[in-house]
Amino acid sequence: MLALRRIGLVLLVLFALLNVILAFHAARFTYFYDNPEKTPSKKPESYSTSEKLNAALFGLKLKKSVVTDYPKIPYETLRLTNELGQKLEGWYIPVEQAKGTVILCHGHASNKSRVLCEMDYFHELGYNTLSFDFRAHGNSQGNICTIGFRETNDLKAAYDFVTRGGEKNIILWGVSMGAATILKAVPEHSLKPSRVILECPFASLYDAVQGRLRSMNIPAHPASELLLLWGGLERSMSTYQYRPSEYAKGLTMPVLLNWGGNDPRVLRHETDAIFQNLGTQQKQLVIFEHSAHQSYCTNEPEKWRATISRFLQASPQPQSVSKPVTALQMR
């Protein structure tokens, strides 16, 4: 009996210790430290063994991403304001006789300088572009990131800026966290973009956490569940209800969904769930067979440019609920 009590006590202590460790993980996953030295953060995949061990015990200590590159064409620097009064830095590049405006949303731990390839091509196609740093990223204010849960308000600030200028043809483009933010923001704020381009969005925050753990070679269970629990408590988020795959039902405009066939963070079943739930008949799923969780614009430029050009040139068709949903899948 005494032995059973000791075993029970040991298990209780280990469970408490696990919760302490994962509480640190949850806090650090959603916090970006100020980076006055402007030093770039490593990706978990490039960590040394000792760095991975330290990260496994205490969580990733993420620094605010550094804006390292700038547009080579004339641009305007903007200061947008979100619901917290935080200033968000953006770059606006107008063109003469523009076909519309593309708003670009970067991914987690990234910033607007990482989407210059995409921005340049949209500009080449004749569109104004607006890229901006989400809160806690790049040159924007704040330290807390909610992985797209509240960043929808940052996107709303950018969207409102464009609509105040009288723009009617707005295209939303986003990658990873930026794509998940678009999926949540469109129904949440009743945004009316004419088209949406999504690249490797996660299906749920639970899936995103599992993807991060996979990148660090940490067992997914029960760490994923406890990380969501602590993250929700620390950031006052409905973590288990944060499901971009469900928000996809609210997108009724033409949608292009791109995914990398070698993506270790966002898996095929997540992509399929989002695609199936999209609330439009005018949807395309394009698979970039030679890409992982990265920019398709830089990794498979010819295919990406052709895909984007074809999608933007296609004429929207009237929606009809009586017809079955069809999709174009390209490899």
Side-chain angles (χ1 to χ4, degrees):
M1 191 67 178
L2 180 60
L4 288 176
R5 287 181 179 177
R6 287 177 177 173
I7 293 173
L9 180 60
V10 169
L11 292 176
L12 181 61
V13 170
L14 290 176
F15 183 72
L17 181 60
L18 177 63
N19 273 276
V20 170
I21 291 173
L22 291 177
F24 271 111
H25 271 274
R28 284 193 165 181
F29 185 56
T30 53
Y31 192 91
F32 288 91
Y33 290 84
D34 290 329
N35 189 7
E37 299 86 7
K38 302 296 183 182
T39 55
S41 294
K42 288 184 179 180
K43 290 186 175 182
E45 293 87 343
S46 63
Y47 277 19
S48 66
T49 301
S50 61
E51 288 173 328
K52 285 184 177 180
L53 178 60
N54 182 71
L57 292 174
F58 303 107
L60 296 170
K61 187 173 182 179
L62 300 172
K63 298 178 181 179
K64 290 186 72 170
S65 58
V66 181
V67 176
T68 55
D69 298 296
Y70 295 84
K72 293 181 174 59
I73 51 181
Y75 65 95
E76 304 170 20
T77 299
L78 307 176
R79 294 291 186 275
L80 307 169
T81 305
N82 64 15
E83 86 286 5
L84 298 179
Q86 295 170 331
K87 298 302 180 182
L88 313 174
E89 185 177 281
W91 292 333
Y92 179 69
I93 303 179
V95 298
E96 293 185 6
Q97 299 180 335
K99 299 176 182 177
T101 299
V102 180
I103 300 176
L104 297 97
C105 302
H106 64 75
H108 183 260
S110 184
N111 61 64
K112 61 185 179 298
S113 70
R114 310 280 178 83
V115 299
L116 285 173
C117 178
E118 292 82 1
M119 187 170 63
D120 285 345
Y121 186 59
F122 286 123
H123 182 267
E124 183 181 321
L125 290 176
Y127 291 88
N128 304 320
T129 59
L130 171 58
S131 57
F132 65 97
D133 295 329
F134 282 115
R135 64 186 70 188
H137 290 77
N139 293 334
S140 290
Q141 293 180 340
N143 297 96
I144 294 175
C145 166
T146 59
I147 328 297
F149 188 80
R150 294 194 180 91
E151 281 74 13
T152 54
N153 296 306
D154 300 349
L155 174 53
K156 178 66 161 52
Y159 187 90
D160 287 347
F161 170 83
V162 173
T163 57
R164 282 196 298 270
E167 181 62 78
K168 302 298 183 183
N169 184 25
I170 300 176
I171 295 99
L172 300 181
W173 175 93
V175 57
S176 192
M177 182 189 81
T181 301
I182 291 172
L183 283 163
K184 186 172 187 286
V186 169
E188 182 178 280
H189 291 297
S190 300
L191 305 185
K192 303 296 183 184
S194 57
R195 297 174 190 265
V196 168
I197 303 172
L198 306 169
E199 305 202 340
C200 57
F202 49 85
S204 68
L205 187 56
Y206 180 71
D207 290 308
V209 169
Q210 287 191 314
R212 175 54 63 93
L213 293 177
R214 280 195 302 272
S215 71
M216 298 174 63
N217 298 315
I218 297 175
H221 306 288
S224 299
E225 291 78 7
L226 292 174
L227 279 170
L228 283 188
L229 172 64
W230 284 108
L233 292 172
E234 292 165 353
R235 304 303 182 207
S236 300
M237 295 166 51
S238 302
T239 50
Y240 285 98
Q241 281 70 50
Y242 180 18
R243 303 182 63 85
S245 60
E246 289 298 312
Y247 309 139
K249 297 174 182 177
L251 274 65
T252 58
M253 67 293 298
V255 178
L256 170 63
L257 175 60
N258 294 333
W259 177 70
N262 298 319
D263 194 333
R265 293 199 182 186
V266 175
L267 303 182
R268 179 61 189 264
H269 73 84
E270 298 179 61
T271 303
D272 288 341
I274 291 172
F275 184 74
Q276 290 167 10
N277 280 348
L278 286 168
T280 175
Q281 295 178 12
Q282 301 172 68
K283 56 185 180 179
Q284 302 175 33
L285 171 60
V286 178
I287 301 173
F288 290 79
E289 297 286 2
H290 305 292
S291 296
H293 201 74
Q294 62 191 127
S295 168
Y296 312 134
C297 178
T298 57
N299 195 57
E300 297 186 54
E302 291 184 5
K303 180 175 181 178
W304 184 83
R305 290 163 69 96
T307 299
I308 296 297
S309 177
R310 185 165 44 247
F311 175 70
L312 293 179
Q313 290 176 8
S315 300
Q317 301 298 317
Q319 293 285 315
S320 174
V321 295
S322 61
K323 295 181 179 179
V325 173
T326 59
L328 171 65
Q329 296 197 39
M330 299 178 58
R331 292 180 180 270

